């Protein structure tokens, strides 16, 4: 199954991988679970891994998340919130980390607590929208993204998330208009083009879907997620050879053949059934 990516903004956020479901075990690494203890920041030891200032603490959390250590980041950010209970940023980062760890219910509660600190925070509303998507509540997610866009009409993360929510509801034509609008604000943005391509595939327009994804999938900076999305689109178009060729860039032969068999099954489904299957792997917007 293939899934949309989302964009980042000025605030560091962490989200989602895009790989066929049959290859998840091979391609996703486990999160580390070591405890956060003493660390040294600028030569100064700090208790419980906390840096002497808020920015330092957030930087440590960012480094943990970048290394895939969500447990360490979550522990650190919880301690940071105890020290800085009125600052919204650690709560936003904690929500990101919890989502990265798949703890969507707790992420939702964390973003709700951030929203209480600042009801005008578009970032908190986008975070809530992402959490609702993780919980398979696209209507609730759509409401959060709409509120974020009322505050910041050009917020690309909110626009991208709105498109994902509309796709999950099945309103693909509306989702595609959202992506088109987002691309007028940020032409060529890879994550938006990726989501646009997937939306077109959801509605059965595979040729247009392939046109959207080809340039980003063949970019030197392209990762396995986008390439595997393109392989899926080729498979759904009936071009098994191209699908296999692209899939082999990242997957072993057993995974390639398993995925091709799954895609053949999807081709035989009704449109609504196929869309439901594809959406099972959907991931969530970054901020």
């Amino acid at each position: 199954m293939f899934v949309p990516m989302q964009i980042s903004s000025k605030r560091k956020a962490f989200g989602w991988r895009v790989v066929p479901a049959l290859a998840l075990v091979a391609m996703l690494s486990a999160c580390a679970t070591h405890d956060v203890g003493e660390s040294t920041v600028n030569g100064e030891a700090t208790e419980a891994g906390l840096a002497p200032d808020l920015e330092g603490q957030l930087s440590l959390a960012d480094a943990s998340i970048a290394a895939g250590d969500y447990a360490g980041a979550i522990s650190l950010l919880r301690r940071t919130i105890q020290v800085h209970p009125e600052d919204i940023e650690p709560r936003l980062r904690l929500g990101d980390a919890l989502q990265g760890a798949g703890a969507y219910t707790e992420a939702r509660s964390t973003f709700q607590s951030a929203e209480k600190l600042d009801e005008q925070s578009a970032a908190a509303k986008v975070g809530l929208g992402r959490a609702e998507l993780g919980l398979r509540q696209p209507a609730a997610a759509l409401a959060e993204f709409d509120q974020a866009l009322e505050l910041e009409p050009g917020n690309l993360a909110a626009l991208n998330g709105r498109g994902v929510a509309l796709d999950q509801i099945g309103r693909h034509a509306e989702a595609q208009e959202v992506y088109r609008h987002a691309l007028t604000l940020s032409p060529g943005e890879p994550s938006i083009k990726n989501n646009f391509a997937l939306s077109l595939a959801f509605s059965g327009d595979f040729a247009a879907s392939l046109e959207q994804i080809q340039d980003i999938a063949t970019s030197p900076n392209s990762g396995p997620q986008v390439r595997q999305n393109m392989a899926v689109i080729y498979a759904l178009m009936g071009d098994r050879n191209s699908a296999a060729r692209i899939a082999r860039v990242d997957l072993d032969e057993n995974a390639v053949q398993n995925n091709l068999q799954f895609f053949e099954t999807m081709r035989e489904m009704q449109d609504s059934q196929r869309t439901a299957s594809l959406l099972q792997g959907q991931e969530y917007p970054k901020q």
Side-chain angles (χ1 to χ4, degrees):
M1 302 173 194
F2 61 100
V3 295
M5 298 187 308
Q6 293 292 346
I7 59 176
S8 60
S9 71
K10 295 178 181 178
R11 190 173 68 80
K12 183 74 172 179
F14 304 89
W16 31 311
R17 300 177 174 90
V18 184
V19 292
L22 296 175
L24 282 175
V25 174
M27 296 189 68
L28 300 187
S29 59
C31 297
T33 57
H34 61 272
D35 293 332
V36 177
E38 271 199 2
S39 66
T40 302
V41 180
N42 296 327
E44 178 181 351
T46 59
E47 184 178 358
L50 292 181
D53 62 291
L54 178 59
E55 285 302 316
Q57 293 160 26
L58 297 177
S59 294
L60 286 174
D62 288 349
S64 293
I65 297 175
D69 180 12
Y70 291 107
I74 290 166
S75 176
L76 174 59
L77 287 163
R78 283 174 174 156
R79 295 171 188 267
T80 301
I81 289 170
Q82 291 177 352
V83 178
H84 302 277
E86 300 304 316
D87 196 294
I88 191 173
E89 193 63 31
R91 296 176 190 269
L92 295 173
R93 297 287 178 83
L94 178 59
D96 290 337
L98 288 164
Q99 288 219 105
Y104 302 117
T105 299
E106 191 171 357
R108 179 171 60 184
S109 297
T110 300
F111 285 120
Q112 287 171 337
S113 71
E115 189 177 43
K116 288 179 181 178
L117 290 177
D118 182 1
E119 294 183 356
Q120 301 302 305
S121 171
K125 296 181 188 303
V126 171
L128 275 170
R130 292 192 294 122
E132 296 292 1
L133 287 176
L135 292 167
R136 301 297 174 213
Q137 299 295 327
L142 183 61
E144 297 296 341
F145 293 128
D146 283 345
Q147 289 181 41
L149 288 167
E150 288 180 6
L151 294 168
E152 296 180 7
N155 186 308
L156 291 177
L159 286 168
N160 229 348
R162 188 172 196 275
V164 173
L166 287 168
D167 272 326
Q168 288 198 7
I169 293 170
R171 293 158 57 182
H172 303 307
E174 293 177 65
Q176 289 155 28
E177 285 303 310
V178 172
Y179 297 132
R180 288 188 182 96
H181 173 58
L183 286 170
T184 67
L185 301 177
S186 183
E189 168 61 47
S191 58
I192 297 173
K193 289 179 71 68
N194 180 85
N195 285 357
F196 188 17
L198 299 183
S199 183
L200 290 164
F202 293 154
S203 57
D205 193 348
F206 299 119
S209 173
L210 188 60
E211 182 179 351
Q212 285 293 326
I213 205 170
Q214 273 182 325
D215 62 331
I216 57 173
T218 55
S219 166
N221 297 323
S222 176
Q225 296 107 326
V226 177
R227 285 192 294 270
Q228 294 308 312
N229 286 351
M230 186 165 70
V232 173
I233 295 168
Y234 270 120
L236 294 177
M237 291 175 67
D239 189 344
R240 184 183 177 94
N241 290 336
S242 293
R245 173 176 53 81
I246 295 168
R248 288 189 182 104
V249 174
D250 304 296
L251 305 179
D252 63 35
E253 191 60 30
N254 185 58
V256 170
Q257 294 305 318
N258 284 342
N259 281 2
L260 289 175
Q261 183 176 358
F262 176 70
F263 300 150
E264 285 297 320
T265 301
M266 283 203 296
R267 287 189 68 207
E268 298 172 0
M269 295 177 180
Q270 298 291 327
D271 286 346
S272 60
Q273 294 174 315
R274 181 169 56 221
T275 299
S277 295
L278 295 172
L279 288 171
Q280 287 177 11
Q282 215 165 23
E283 295 196 28
Y284 325 104
K286 292 181 181 180
Q287 296 173 43

